[in-house]
Amino acid sequence: MAGNTETDMLKIKNLHASVEGKEILKGINLEVNPGEVHAIMGPNGSGKSTLASVIAGNEDFEVTDGTIELEGEELNELAPEERAHQGVFLSFQYPVEIPGVTVTNFMKTAINETRKARGLEEMPANEMLKKIREKSELLEIDRKFLSRSLNEGFSGGEKKRNEIFQMAMMEPKLAILDETDSGLDIDALKVVANGVNRLKTPQNATIVITHYQRLLDYIVPDHVHVLLNGKIVKSGGKELALELEEKGYDWIKQEAAV
Amino acid sequence: MDLKDKLVSSFMAFENTVDVNHPVHEVRSEAIKNFETLGFPSKKMESWKYTSLKSILKPQLSVFPKKETSLDYKDVKQYFIHEIESYKIVFVDGVYSSHLSETSHEGLDVCLMSAALSKPKYRLLIENYFNKIAVKDGLTSLNTAFSKEGAFINIPRGVVVEKPIQILHFTTGVESSLLTQPRNLVVVGENAHVQIIERHQSLTDNPTFTNCVTEIFANKRGIVDYYKIQNDRDEASLIDNTYISQQRNSHVSVHTFSLGGKLTRNNLQFFQKGEYLDSTLKGVTITDKKQHVDHSTLVHHAQPNCESHQDYKGIYADKSTGVFNGQIIVEKEAQKTNGFQQSNNILLDDTATINAKPQLEIFADDVRCSHGCTIGQLDDEALLYLRSRGIPKKEATALLMFGFANNVLESVKIPQLKQRITKLIASKLGVNLGFDL
Ligand SMILES: Nc1ncnc2c1ncn2[C@@H]1O[C@H](COP(=O)(O)OP(=O)(O)OP(=O)(O)O)[C@@H](O)[C@H]1O
Ligand SMILES: [Mg+2]
């Protein structure tokens, strides 16, 4: 796999995407380096989840122009599972309920299929158990939880915590957290943020999509971008998030309109 | 001569092979007359509207195996749940295979219908139970007329059978047009408990046709768990008629896993004859390649305070057809009945068909009966979610199917059997999932 330090972790160039003939992403450019945390903010409906979905390979969206590269390799034509195998992880804004499939079996399958795709042997059962134990402890998830059907009947906060547990298990290169903070109470937010921070290494990168500065107090971003109507209209450091918290989006909309 | 006339006229030859002085022979003689009148079912009959036997009722079908074929255990081991200790009753082309079997007369009878029909010590049992609950339709009558061999299981009062009993019917296809008609009888005494696994398996790609009848009697507080594995080859067809009679406080469950075979028709009928008992009917059906699987169930609630639970999951692809015809009758006396029926179906593509028909006939006023029938597709959002975690489409699809069928798989009480069924399903779906359910 390609991956020298010269290349970006993620490089998005002039990305346009539409759904049902309606253009939602209208020329996104974004570069994320290994070790960095980027935050993407923006009003409802501006295209944040769409961007995340398109990076993860959701086939409902049609990429009409532009490229997405991970460590110099283009992802555009890859299936969602292949992107996961390359190291892309999306924490869903709305995790899907899967009746009859336990969290544990789901994770075992996900990890072993990914290993298979990478030409590795299946993970030995005891190692898998150890890993599951470690990561569930990191996210303070009760063991009983792991034998429940995936997301079925989970509370909003439990679903989000479970997403980060999956991230911890998968150890992605690029993690995109789509409003992982929404629905979390203060204590849970700290646990989840702590989990994310503990998983950070100089080799991986994180994109955090959020509406609230609060999360960014815990997961401190190197860059903050504002997405408006399908375009990144402003980028800055972590202080930009504070400014947005204080002033809302109107001034940005005005700036963008100029 | 058409097939019906041919079969009727073979009855005389058949009589030379059995004891015509045994009282059962009167039952047989009556049954052949009955068959002569009724013949084979046709699509004109309401209960056979969606299943046609035309393609399997070949005029050359014969009820007599011309020669015995013997099998080596190593060649058929894969069809046994060999991971557990069990009793085994094994037939090859309808003929008992003693070296593959492990029968018993110690504290219980796990043996042969032919023995039960010939030995005086079983005469009373046979008189009390044989053909007492089987419905006298054409196919069952045909089986009764030629009944001679099958499994005979008699669990006396209070006996909890530690080992499951496996009944295996192999067809070799050595004779290409053999009609095999096993006849099983299971009598479970008061407070007795037994688990039975039955499987029909053809060993070649020659067409085979089996018309099986099983009668099960559960006496007071008896517990019977019956598992049917239907994973036969593409050219094998099966009509599986199962009739169950339950007494007070008994619990009987039948699980049917229909994965293989060309045409499979399950006639599963429960007759409740005492209070406070429950009947459980569950199934997982996964079909493709023009397969046809029909589940026609009947639960007859005739006494107060009883329950029935039906839960059938079906997944159909590639020109295959499913039928679920679930009849619940609640008689006037059967107050406080709790009848639950569910049939959930997924069509994987638009060439597959499911005909699902709940039929509730309720004559009592104080009952709780619910039925739900759903037909849907695989959930695309769920599929995307799984794929986003690195699970390829085929495996993700399989995982969703396992999730869909999980309620039924979960209730299999023998872990090794559950594991085996999981494997059979995985191999049907062409995946290798790295976990046990
Ligand atoms: N499958 C779809 N079909 C039609 N329209 C869609 C679809 N998915 C997204 N959209 C539209 O695209 C736009 C962007 O949606 P998106 O979910 O990306 O917004 P967002 O920035 O994540 O908003 P929020 O902050 O509310 O989560 C919205 O107008 C939405 O209605
Ligand atoms: Mg969103």
PDB file of all heavy atoms in Angstrom, chain B residues 208-237:
ATOM      1  N   THR B 208     -35.470 -38.167  -7.099  1.00  0.00           N
ATOM      2  CA  THR B 208     -36.037 -39.032  -6.075  1.00  0.00           C
ATOM      3  C   THR B 208     -37.314 -38.389  -5.564  1.00  0.00           C
ATOM      4  O   THR B 208     -37.479 -37.172  -5.636  1.00  0.00           O
ATOM      5  CB  THR B 208     -35.092 -39.230  -4.882  1.00  0.00           C
ATOM      6  OG1 THR B 208     -34.865 -37.950  -4.275  1.00  0.00           O
ATOM      7  CG2 THR B 208     -33.761 -39.826  -5.297  1.00  0.00           C
ATOM      8  N   PHE B 209     -38.192 -39.226  -5.059  1.00  0.00           N
ATOM      9  CA  PHE B 209     -39.466 -38.718  -4.559  1.00  0.00           C
ATOM     10  C   PHE B 209     -39.802 -39.468  -3.275  1.00  0.00           C
ATOM     11  O   PHE B 209     -39.875 -40.691  -3.255  1.00  0.00           O
ATOM     12  CB  PHE B 209     -40.540 -38.913  -5.630  1.00  0.00           C
ATOM     13  CG  PHE B 209     -41.914 -38.452  -5.216  1.00  0.00           C
ATOM     14  CD1 PHE B 209     -42.093 -37.487  -4.228  1.00  0.00           C
ATOM     15  CD2 PHE B 209     -43.035 -38.982  -5.828  1.00  0.00           C
ATOM     16  CE1 PHE B 209     -43.365 -37.065  -3.855  1.00  0.00           C
ATOM     17  CE2 PHE B 209     -44.320 -38.563  -5.468  1.00  0.00           C
ATOM     18  CZ  PHE B 209     -44.478 -37.604  -4.478  1.00  0.00           C
ATOM     19  N   THR B 210     -39.973 -38.727  -2.219  1.00  0.00           N
ATOM     20  CA  THR B 210     -40.274 -39.319  -0.920  1.00  0.00           C
ATOM     21  C   THR B 210     -41.608 -38.779  -0.427  1.00  0.00           C
ATOM     22  O   THR B 210     -41.844 -37.572  -0.475  1.00  0.00           O
ATOM     23  CB  THR B 210     -39.169 -38.962   0.095  1.00  0.00           C
ATOM     24  OG1 THR B 210     -37.919 -39.430  -0.407  1.00  0.00           O
ATOM     25  CG2 THR B 210     -39.438 -39.612   1.442  1.00  0.00           C
ATOM     26  N   ASN B 211     -42.439 -39.682   0.024  1.00  0.00           N
ATOM     27  CA  ASN B 211     -43.726 -39.299   0.621  1.00  0.00           C
ATOM     28  C   ASN B 211     -43.745 -39.858   2.033  1.00  0.00           C
ATOM     29  O   ASN B 211     -44.043 -41.020   2.253  1.00  0.00           O
ATOM     30  CB  ASN B 211     -44.875 -39.873  -0.223  1.00  0.00           C
ATOM     31  CG  ASN B 211     -46.243 -39.579   0.375  1.00  0.00           C
ATOM     32  OD1 ASN B 211     -46.462 -38.506   0.947  1.00  0.00           O
ATOM     33  ND2 ASN B 211     -47.163 -40.541   0.260  1.00  0.00           N
ATOM     34  N   CYS B 212     -43.364 -39.028   2.978  1.00  0.00           N
ATOM     35  CA  CYS B 212     -43.127 -39.490   4.343  1.00  0.00           C
ATOM     36  C   CYS B 212     -44.306 -39.122   5.251  1.00  0.00           C
ATOM     37  O   CYS B 212     -44.877 -38.035   5.120  1.00  0.00           O
ATOM     38  CB  CYS B 212     -41.848 -38.819   4.854  1.00  0.00           C
ATOM     39  SG  CYS B 212     -41.323 -39.382   6.473  1.00  0.00           S
ATOM     40  N   VAL B 213     -44.645 -40.018   6.148  1.00  0.00           N
ATOM     41  CA  VAL B 213     -45.672 -39.701   7.147  1.00  0.00           C
ATOM     42  C   VAL B 213     -45.111 -39.980   8.538  1.00  0.00           C
ATOM     43  O   VAL B 213     -44.543 -41.040   8.792  1.00  0.00           O
ATOM     44  CB  VAL B 213     -46.964 -40.527   6.930  1.00  0.00           C
ATOM     45  CG1 VAL B 213     -47.944 -40.317   8.086  1.00  0.00           C
ATOM     46  CG2 VAL B 213     -47.622 -40.144   5.604  1.00  0.00           C
ATOM     47  N   THR B 214     -45.267 -39.017   9.411  1.00  0.00           N
ATOM     48  CA  THR B 214     -44.832 -39.172  10.797  1.00  0.00           C
ATOM     49  C   THR B 214     -46.001 -38.831  11.709  1.00  0.00           C
ATOM     50  O   THR B 214     -46.639 -37.787  11.542  1.00  0.00           O
ATOM     51  CB  THR B 214     -43.660 -38.216  11.110  1.00  0.00           C
ATOM     52  OG1 THR B 214     -42.608 -38.470  10.186  1.00  0.00           O
ATOM     53  CG2 THR B 214     -43.155 -38.416  12.536  1.00  0.00           C
ATOM     54  N   GLU B 215     -46.258 -39.715  12.650  1.00  0.00           N
ATOM     55  CA  GLU B 215     -47.260 -39.410  13.670  1.00  0.00           C
ATOM     56  C   GLU B 215     -46.548 -39.273  15.008  1.00  0.00           C
ATOM     57  O   GLU B 215     -45.711 -40.106  15.358  1.00  0.00           O
ATOM     58  CB  GLU B 215     -48.294 -40.538  13.766  1.00  0.00           C
ATOM     59  CG  GLU B 215     -49.201 -40.624  12.554  1.00  0.00           C
ATOM     60  CD  GLU B 215     -50.207 -41.768  12.698  1.00  0.00           C
ATOM     61  OE1 GLU B 215     -49.802 -42.934  12.554  1.00  0.00           O
ATOM     62  OE2 GLU B 215     -51.382 -41.484  12.972  1.00  0.00           O
ATOM     63  N   ILE B 216     -46.887 -38.216  15.724  1.00  0.00           N
ATOM     64  CA  ILE B 216     -46.254 -37.976  17.019  1.00  0.00           C
ATOM     65  C   ILE B 216     -47.345 -37.812  18.075  1.00  0.00           C
ATOM     66  O   ILE B 216     -48.270 -37.010  17.897  1.00  0.00           O
ATOM     67  CB  ILE B 216     -45.386 -36.693  16.975  1.00  0.00           C
ATOM     68  CG1 ILE B 216     -44.297 -36.818  15.902  1.00  0.00           C
ATOM     69  CG2 ILE B 216     -44.767 -36.399  18.348  1.00  0.00           C
ATOM     70  CD1 ILE B 216     -43.569 -35.515  15.605  1.00  0.00           C
ATOM     71  N   PHE B 217     -47.204 -38.574  19.133  1.00  0.00           N
ATOM     72  CA  PHE B 217     -48.165 -38.463  20.235  1.00  0.00           C
ATOM     73  C   PHE B 217     -47.427 -38.027  21.491  1.00  0.00           C
ATOM     74  O   PHE B 217     -46.499 -38.711  21.943  1.00  0.00           O
ATOM     75  CB  PHE B 217     -48.851 -39.812  20.482  1.00  0.00           C
ATOM     76  CG  PHE B 217     -49.703 -40.250  19.320  1.00  0.00           C
ATOM     77  CD1 PHE B 217     -49.126 -40.920  18.239  1.00  0.00           C
ATOM     78  CD2 PHE B 217     -51.064 -39.969  19.285  1.00  0.00           C
ATOM     79  CE1 PHE B 217     -49.898 -41.309  17.156  1.00  0.00           C
ATOM     80  CE2 PHE B 217     -51.837 -40.355  18.198  1.00  0.00           C
ATOM     81  CZ  PHE B 217     -51.257 -41.035  17.132  1.00  0.00           C
ATOM     82  N   ALA B 218     -47.822 -36.889  22.024  1.00  0.00           N
ATOM     83  CA  ALA B 218     -47.207 -36.425  23.264  1.00  0.00           C
ATOM     84  C   ALA B 218     -48.251 -36.531  24.366  1.00  0.00           C
ATOM     85  O   ALA B 218     -49.283 -35.860  24.319  1.00  0.00           O
ATOM     86  CB  ALA B 218     -46.730 -34.992  23.121  1.00  0.00           C
ATOM     87  N   ASN B 219     -47.971 -37.393  25.324  1.00  0.00           N
ATOM     88  CA  ASN B 219     -48.912 -37.530  26.428  1.00  0.00           C
ATOM     89  C   ASN B 219     -48.682 -36.434  27.465  1.00  0.00           C
ATOM     90  O   ASN B 219     -47.824 -35.573  27.295  1.00  0.00           O
ATOM     91  CB  ASN B 219     -48.816 -38.937  27.009  1.00  0.00           C
ATOM     92  CG  ASN B 219     -49.512 -39.923  26.078  1.00  0.00           C
ATOM     93  OD1 ASN B 219     -50.712 -39.786  25.816  1.00  0.00           O
ATOM     94  ND2 ASN B 219     -48.756 -40.873  25.539  1.00  0.00           N
ATOM     95  N   LYS B 220     -49.452 -36.479  28.551  1.00  0.00           N
ATOM     96  CA  LYS B 220     -49.431 -35.392  29.534  1.00  0.00           C
ATOM     97  C   LYS B 220     -48.018 -34.986  29.941  1.00  0.00           C
ATOM     98  O   LYS B 220     -47.205 -35.826  30.310  1.00  0.00           O
ATOM     99  CB  LYS B 220     -50.177 -35.819  30.796  1.00  0.00           C
ATOM    100  CG  LYS B 220     -51.675 -35.773  30.648  1.00  0.00           C
ATOM    101  CD  LYS B 220     -52.332 -36.130  31.969  1.00  0.00           C
ATOM    102  CE  LYS B 220     -53.757 -36.603  31.729  1.00  0.00           C
ATOM    103  NZ  LYS B 220     -54.283 -37.331  32.877  1.00  0.00           N
ATOM    104  N   ARG B 221     -47.761 -33.723  29.888  1.00  0.00           N
ATOM    105  CA  ARG B 221     -46.468 -33.132  30.282  1.00  0.00           C
ATOM    106  C   ARG B 221     -45.281 -33.665  29.474  1.00  0.00           C
ATOM    107  O   ARG B 221     -44.141 -33.489  29.862  1.00  0.00           O
ATOM    108  CB  ARG B 221     -46.213 -33.307  31.795  1.00  0.00           C
ATOM    109  CG  ARG B 221     -47.190 -32.513  32.666  1.00  0.00           C
ATOM    110  CD  ARG B 221     -46.975 -32.773  34.145  1.00  0.00           C
ATOM    111  NE  ARG B 221     -47.165 -34.168  34.484  1.00  0.00           N
ATOM    112  CZ  ARG B 221     -48.364 -34.722  34.699  1.00  0.00           C
ATOM    113  NH1 ARG B 221     -49.466 -33.989  34.641  1.00  0.00           N
ATOM    114  NH2 ARG B 221     -48.467 -36.001  34.978  1.00  0.00           N
ATOM    115  N   GLY B 222     -45.575 -34.330  28.389  1.00  0.00           N
ATOM    116  CA  GLY B 222     -44.485 -34.806  27.530  1.00  0.00           C
ATOM    117  C   GLY B 222     -43.842 -33.635  26.787  1.00  0.00           C
ATOM    118  O   GLY B 222     -44.492 -32.622  26.526  1.00  0.00           O
ATOM    119  N   ILE B 223     -42.563 -33.795  26.496  1.00  0.00           N
ATOM    120  CA  ILE B 223     -41.866 -32.742  25.733  1.00  0.00           C
ATOM    121  C   ILE B 223     -41.206 -33.372  24.510  1.00  0.00           C
ATOM    122  O   ILE B 223     -40.435 -34.330  24.626  1.00  0.00           O
ATOM    123  CB  ILE B 223     -40.773 -32.045  26.580  1.00  0.00           C
ATOM    124  CG1 ILE B 223     -41.370 -31.495  27.885  1.00  0.00           C
ATOM    125  CG2 ILE B 223     -40.116 -30.924  25.777  1.00  0.00           C
ATOM    126  CD1 ILE B 223     -40.332 -30.878  28.811  1.00  0.00           C
ATOM    127  N   VAL B 224     -41.512 -32.846  23.350  1.00  0.00           N
ATOM    128  CA  VAL B 224     -40.905 -33.344  22.116  1.00  0.00           C
ATOM    129  C   VAL B 224     -40.331 -32.161  21.331  1.00  0.00           C
ATOM    130  O   VAL B 224     -41.030 -31.174  21.096  1.00  0.00           O
ATOM    131  CB  VAL B 224     -41.950 -34.052  21.216  1.00  0.00           C
ATOM    132  CG1 VAL B 224     -41.274 -34.641  19.983  1.00  0.00           C
ATOM    133  CG2 VAL B 224     -42.700 -35.126  21.989  1.00  0.00           C
ATOM    134  N   ASP B 225     -39.053 -32.263  20.996  1.00  0.00           N
ATOM    135  CA  ASP B 225     -38.454 -31.270  20.103  1.00  0.00           C
ATOM    136  C   ASP B 225     -38.015 -31.992  18.844  1.00  0.00           C
ATOM    137  O   ASP B 225     -37.171 -32.883  18.890  1.00  0.00           O
ATOM    138  CB  ASP B 225     -37.242 -30.598  20.764  1.00  0.00           C
ATOM    139  CG  ASP B 225     -37.655 -29.809  21.990  1.00  0.00           C
ATOM    140  OD1 ASP B 225     -38.618 -29.037  21.891  1.00  0.00           O
ATOM    141  OD2 ASP B 225     -37.032 -29.998  23.053  1.00  0.00           O
ATOM    142  N   TYR B 226     -38.619 -31.632  17.745  1.00  0.00           N
ATOM    143  CA  TYR B 226     -38.397 -32.340  16.488  1.00  0.00           C
ATOM    144  C   TYR B 226     -37.763 -31.373  15.495  1.00  0.00           C
ATOM    145  O   TYR B 226     -38.261 -30.273  15.291  1.00  0.00           O
ATOM    146  CB  TYR B 226     -39.747 -32.824  15.952  1.00  0.00           C
ATOM    147  CG  TYR B 226     -39.677 -34.064  15.089  1.00  0.00           C
ATOM    148  CD1 TYR B 226     -40.114 -35.287  15.581  1.00  0.00           C
ATOM    149  CD2 TYR B 226     -39.190 -34.018  13.784  1.00  0.00           C
ATOM    150  CE1 TYR B 226     -40.069 -36.435  14.790  1.00  0.00           C
ATOM    151  CE2 TYR B 226     -39.128 -35.154  12.996  1.00  0.00           C
ATOM    152  CZ  TYR B 226     -39.569 -36.360  13.503  1.00  0.00           C
ATOM    153  OH  TYR B 226     -39.517 -37.491  12.722  1.00  0.00           O
ATOM    154  N   TYR B 227     -36.652 -31.792  14.919  1.00  0.00           N
ATOM    155  CA  TYR B 227     -35.956 -30.926  13.967  1.00  0.00           C
ATOM    156  C   TYR B 227     -35.886 -31.601  12.614  1.00  0.00           C
ATOM    157  O   TYR B 227     -35.474 -32.760  12.521  1.00  0.00           O
ATOM    158  CB  TYR B 227     -34.533 -30.639  14.460  1.00  0.00           C
ATOM    159  CG  TYR B 227     -34.496 -29.985  15.815  1.00  0.00           C
ATOM    160  CD1 TYR B 227     -34.298 -30.751  16.967  1.00  0.00           C
ATOM    161  CD2 TYR B 227     -34.688 -28.611  15.943  1.00  0.00           C
ATOM    162  CE1 TYR B 227     -34.290 -30.143  18.219  1.00  0.00           C
ATOM    163  CE2 TYR B 227     -34.672 -28.004  17.192  1.00  0.00           C
ATOM    164  CZ  TYR B 227     -34.476 -28.774  18.323  1.00  0.00           C
ATOM    165  OH  TYR B 227     -34.465 -28.181  19.555  1.00  0.00           O
ATOM    166  N   LYS B 228     -36.257 -30.890  11.589  1.00  0.00           N
ATOM    167  CA  LYS B 228     -36.217 -31.451  10.244  1.00  0.00           C
ATOM    168  C   LYS B 228     -35.191 -30.691   9.416  1.00  0.00           C
ATOM    169  O   LYS B 228     -35.276 -29.471   9.305  1.00  0.00           O
ATOM    170  CB  LYS B 228     -37.592 -31.341   9.585  1.00  0.00           C
ATOM    171  CG  LYS B 228     -38.647 -32.223  10.247  1.00  0.00           C
ATOM    172  CD  LYS B 228     -40.035 -31.883   9.731  1.00  0.00           C
ATOM    173  CE  LYS B 228     -41.107 -32.737  10.406  1.00  0.00           C
ATOM    174  NZ  LYS B 228     -41.160 -34.113   9.899  1.00  0.00           N
ATOM    175  N   ILE B 229     -34.242 -31.434   8.879  1.00  0.00           N
ATOM    176  CA  ILE B 229     -33.251 -30.808   7.997  1.00  0.00           C
ATOM    177  C   ILE B 229     -33.597 -31.183   6.569  1.00  0.00           C
ATOM    178  O   ILE B 229     -33.559 -32.352   6.191  1.00  0.00           O
ATOM    179  CB  ILE B 229     -31.822 -31.285   8.329  1.00  0.00           C
ATOM    180  CG1 ILE B 229     -31.482 -30.954   9.780  1.00  0.00           C
ATOM    181  CG2 ILE B 229     -30.816 -30.634   7.377  1.00  0.00           C
ATOM    182  CD1 ILE B 229     -30.094 -31.415  10.203  1.00  0.00           C
ATOM    183  N   GLN B 230     -33.962 -30.194   5.796  1.00  0.00           N
ATOM    184  CA  GLN B 230     -34.317 -30.435   4.400  1.00  0.00           C
ATOM    185  C   GLN B 230     -33.287 -29.721   3.535  1.00  0.00           C
ATOM    186  O   GLN B 230     -33.423 -28.549   3.230  1.00  0.00           O
ATOM    187  CB  GLN B 230     -35.745 -29.931   4.133  1.00  0.00           C
ATOM    188  CG  GLN B 230     -36.749 -30.647   5.045  1.00  0.00           C
ATOM    189  CD  GLN B 230     -38.182 -30.164   4.921  1.00  0.00           C
ATOM    190  OE1 GLN B 230     -38.434 -29.070   4.423  1.00  0.00           O
ATOM    191  NE2 GLN B 230     -39.124 -30.982   5.388  1.00  0.00           N
ATOM    192  N   ASN B 231     -32.243 -30.439   3.236  1.00  0.00           N
ATOM    193  CA  ASN B 231     -31.154 -29.826   2.472  1.00  0.00           C
ATOM    194  C   ASN B 231     -30.739 -30.758   1.350  1.00  0.00           C
ATOM    195  O   ASN B 231     -29.578 -31.044   1.139  1.00  0.00           O
ATOM    196  CB  ASN B 231     -29.968 -29.552   3.405  1.00  0.00           C
ATOM    197  CG  ASN B 231     -28.893 -28.732   2.709  1.00  0.00           C
ATOM    198  OD1 ASN B 231     -29.203 -27.817   1.954  1.00  0.00           O
ATOM    199  ND2 ASN B 231     -27.637 -29.080   2.934  1.00  0.00           N
ATOM    200  N   ASP B 232     -31.741 -31.279   0.656  1.00  0.00           N
ATOM    201  CA  ASP B 232     -31.456 -32.330  -0.307  1.00  0.00           C
ATOM    202  C   ASP B 232     -30.930 -31.767  -1.629  1.00  0.00           C
ATOM    203  O   ASP B 232     -30.860 -30.568  -1.830  1.00  0.00           O
ATOM    204  CB  ASP B 232     -32.723 -33.163  -0.535  1.00  0.00           C
ATOM    205  CG  ASP B 232     -32.394 -34.630  -0.655  1.00  0.00           C
ATOM    206  OD1 ASP B 232     -31.248 -34.944  -1.029  1.00  0.00           O
ATOM    207  OD2 ASP B 232     -33.278 -35.467  -0.386  1.00  0.00           O
ATOM    208  N   ARG B 233     -30.527 -32.693  -2.486  1.00  0.00           N
ATOM    209  CA  ARG B 233     -29.984 -32.287  -3.779  1.00  0.00           C
ATOM    210  C   ARG B 233     -31.063 -31.713  -4.686  1.00  0.00           C
ATOM    211  O   ARG B 233     -32.258 -31.877  -4.448  1.00  0.00           O
ATOM    212  CB  ARG B 233     -29.349 -33.494  -4.463  1.00  0.00           C
ATOM    213  CG  ARG B 233     -28.090 -33.927  -3.774  1.00  0.00           C
ATOM    214  CD  ARG B 233     -27.550 -35.117  -4.505  1.00  0.00           C
ATOM    215  NE  ARG B 233     -26.344 -35.582  -3.853  1.00  0.00           N
ATOM    216  CZ  ARG B 233     -25.158 -35.627  -4.454  1.00  0.00           C
ATOM    217  NH1 ARG B 233     -25.030 -35.275  -5.708  1.00  0.00           N
ATOM    218  NH2 ARG B 233     -24.115 -36.062  -3.801  1.00  0.00           N
ATOM    219  N   ASP B 234     -30.599 -31.134  -5.796  1.00  0.00           N
ATOM    220  CA  ASP B 234     -31.497 -30.394  -6.682  1.00  0.00           C
ATOM    221  C   ASP B 234     -32.640 -31.219  -7.266  1.00  0.00           C
ATOM    222  O   ASP B 234     -33.661 -30.676  -7.638  1.00  0.00           O
ATOM    223  CB  ASP B 234     -30.706 -29.801  -7.862  1.00  0.00           C
ATOM    224  CG  ASP B 234     -29.737 -28.741  -7.407  1.00  0.00           C
ATOM    225  OD1 ASP B 234     -29.824 -28.346  -6.228  1.00  0.00           O
ATOM    226  OD2 ASP B 234     -28.888 -28.310  -8.223  1.00  0.00           O
ATOM    227  N   GLU B 235     -32.449 -32.520  -7.380  1.00  0.00           N
ATOM    228  CA  GLU B 235     -33.475 -33.328  -8.042  1.00  0.00           C
ATOM    229  C   GLU B 235     -34.330 -34.133  -7.072  1.00  0.00           C
ATOM    230  O   GLU B 235     -35.092 -35.003  -7.473  1.00  0.00           O
ATOM    231  CB  GLU B 235     -32.829 -34.270  -9.071  1.00  0.00           C
ATOM    232  CG  GLU B 235     -32.304 -33.544 -10.309  1.00  0.00           C
ATOM    233  CD  GLU B 235     -33.383 -32.718 -11.004  1.00  0.00           C
ATOM    234  OE1 GLU B 235     -34.530 -33.184 -11.096  1.00  0.00           O
ATOM    235  OE2 GLU B 235     -33.068 -31.592 -11.435  1.00  0.00           O
ATOM    236  N   ALA B 236     -34.171 -33.866  -5.786  1.00  0.00           N
ATOM    237  CA  ALA B 236     -34.910 -34.640  -4.794  1.00  0.00           C
ATOM    238  C   ALA B 236     -36.177 -33.903  -4.387  1.00  0.00           C
ATOM    239  O   ALA B 236     -36.148 -32.703  -4.127  1.00  0.00           O
ATOM    240  CB  ALA B 236     -34.032 -34.878  -3.573  1.00  0.00           C
ATOM    241  N   SER B 237     -37.282 -34.631  -4.352  1.00  0.00           N
ATOM    242  CA  SER B 237     -38.534 -34.020  -3.921  1.00  0.00           C
ATOM    243  C   SER B 237     -39.082 -34.750  -2.712  1.00  0.00           C
ATOM    244  O   SER B 237     -38.905 -35.957  -2.571  1.00  0.00           O
ATOM    245  CB  SER B 237     -39.558 -34.050  -5.050  1.00  0.00           C
ATOM    246  OG  SER B 237     -39.100 -33.223  -6.101  1.00  0.00           O
TER     247      SER B 237
END
